[in-house]
């Protein structure tokens, strides 16, 4: 079936560097994407979202880029901090006969070295 | 404060037993969802409900059952038919109008079969 997936399972970065987490999706009809951060033993925390009519969206220290041509999105974290260490998921919002639902990728572990 | 509450945080089940996980929200959200998360994996959709007294199967509904008698509550029962129930279970709710950014997650229930 169609799914959302990630390229890199683990990413290690030095504190202060920028981080880039990638995600590929296969459902070309999806029109909404979300990035979540999950810390150990906790539920996912919303970071940033983007609609398919946009290529880029910026938040506080984070930027999401969407390339619909190659069905790829990325999350950029500027000046990565130890508190950014977590698992990051991209998710695809799919509409349908029974309403919206989120389809998640496998996740990328981000480790920040001090 | 509005939010979504899952209980218990940890749950132990003997093989052959049914157990029910609680999910309550006071956000006045119409839609509610149950996800399962296995170690090193993303979230997979079990069941979801867009309105009271109606719910739909997700990708891995076998061995699970739900009810939606009240807007605020969406309990999940893990039945004895679920052969590998040990996992982290996450409940979420959303407002359809907001799409992905309207999803709120609970803090999860970790179920272990003993």
């Amino acid at each position: 079936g169609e799914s959302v997936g990630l390229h890199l399972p683990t990413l290690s970065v030095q504190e202060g560097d920028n981080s880039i987490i990638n995600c590929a999706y296969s459902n070309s009809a999806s029109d909404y994407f979300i990035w979540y951060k999950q810390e150990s033993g906790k539920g996912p925390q919303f970071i940033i979202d983007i609609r398919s009519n946009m290529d880029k969206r910026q938040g506080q220290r984070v930027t999401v880029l969407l390339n619909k041509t190659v069905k790829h999105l990325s999350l950029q974290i500027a000046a990565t901090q130890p508190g950014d260490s977590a698992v990051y998921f991209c998710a695809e919002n799919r509409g349908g006969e029974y309403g919206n639902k989120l389809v998640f990728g496998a996740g990328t572990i981000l480790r920040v070295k001090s | 404060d509005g939010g979504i509450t899952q209980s218990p945080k940890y749950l132990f089940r003997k093989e052959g037993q049914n157990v029910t996980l609680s999910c309550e929200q006071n956000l006045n959200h119409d839609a509610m969802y149950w996800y399962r998360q296995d170690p090193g994996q993303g979230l997979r959709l079990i069941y979801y409900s867009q309105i009271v007294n109606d719910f739909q199967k997700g990708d891995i509904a076998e061995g699970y059952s739900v009810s939606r008698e009240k807007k605020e509550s969406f309990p999940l029962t893990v039945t004895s038919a679920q052969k590998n129930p040990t996992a982290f279970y996450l409940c979420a709710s959303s407002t359809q109008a907001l799409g992905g950014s309207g999803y709120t997650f609970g803090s999860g229930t970790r179920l272990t079969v003993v």
Side-chain angles (χ1 to χ4, degrees):
Chain A
E2 296 184 300
S3 64
V4 179
L6 294 170
H7 293 308
L8 300 176
T10 305
L11 177 64
S12 294
V13 299
Q14 195 67 38
E15 181 180 359
D17 288 350
N18 296 336
S19 301
I20 300 176
I21 301 172
N22 296 302
C23 178
Y25 66 95
S26 56
N27 190 335
S28 57
S30 294
D31 61 358
Y32 193 86
F33 304 88
I34 311 101
W35 280 100
Y36 285 94
K37 172 186 180 183
Q38 187 180 26
E39 297 175 317
S40 181
K42 297 182 179 180
Q45 177 186 359
F46 173 87
I47 301 173
I48 192 168
D49 58 0
I50 188 168
R51 297 191 182 275
S52 61
N53 61 354
M54 303 171 68
D55 297 320
K56 178 179 180 179
R57 191 169 187 213
Q58 289 183 296
Q60 187 176 11
R61 281 203 306 121
V62 294
T63 300
V64 55
L65 299 177
L66 176 62
N67 186 330
K68 295 180 287 295
T69 302
V70 295
K71 293 183 225 169
H72 180 272
L73 68 159
S74 65
L75 176 69
Q76 300 178 1
I77 304 173
T80 312
Q81 302 169 359
D84 294 328
S85 294
V87 180
Y88 289 81
F89 294 97
C90 63
E92 177 185 3
N93 186 55
R94 293 185 188 174
E97 180 181 359
Y98 301 110
N100 292 322
K101 60 181 181 180
L102 283 179
V103 177
F104 284 82
T108 292
I109 299 171
L110 177 63
R111 293 199 176 106
V112 182
K113 297 175 288 186
S114 299
Chain B
D1 289 339
I4 184 165
T5 302
Q6 290 186 240
S7 63
K9 187 172 179 65
Y10 299 97
L11 186 58
F12 297 90
R13 189 194 93 170
K14 293 182 179 179
E15 288 194 26
Q17 283 184 337
N18 293 353
V19 291
T20 298
L21 284 60
S22 171
C23 179
E24 304 277 336
Q25 53 97 2
N26 59 3
L27 300 165
N28 199 34
H29 284 174
D30 293 311
M32 297 187 74
Y33 309 81
W34 274 105
Y35 288 87
R36 169 183 172 137
Q37 187 175 30
D38 292 286
Q41 297 189 29
L43 284 67
R44 292 183 290 168
L45 184 63
I46 305 173
Y47 268 100
Y48 62 112
S49 168
Q50 303 297 326
I51 57 173
V52 174
N53 292 322
D54 187 48
F55 48 82
Q56 305 299 327
K57 292 182 178 180
D59 300 319
I60 55 166
E62 185 175 354
Y64 300 97
S65 65
V66 293
S67 62
R68 188 84 187 279
E69 297 177 1
K70 299 186 299 182
K71 187 176 185 178
E72 303 79 17
S73 179
F74 191 41
L76 173 74
T77 297
V78 184
T79 74
S80 57
Q82 171 50 240
K83 299 307 178 186
N84 185 23
T86 295
F88 189 49
Y89 291 87
L90 285 157
C91 179
S93 66
S94 76
T95 55
Q96 291 303 302
L98 291 178
S101 61
Y103 287 91
T104 301
F105 282 85
S107 57
T109 293
R110 189 166 299 280
L111 174 64
T112 303
V113 173
V114 297

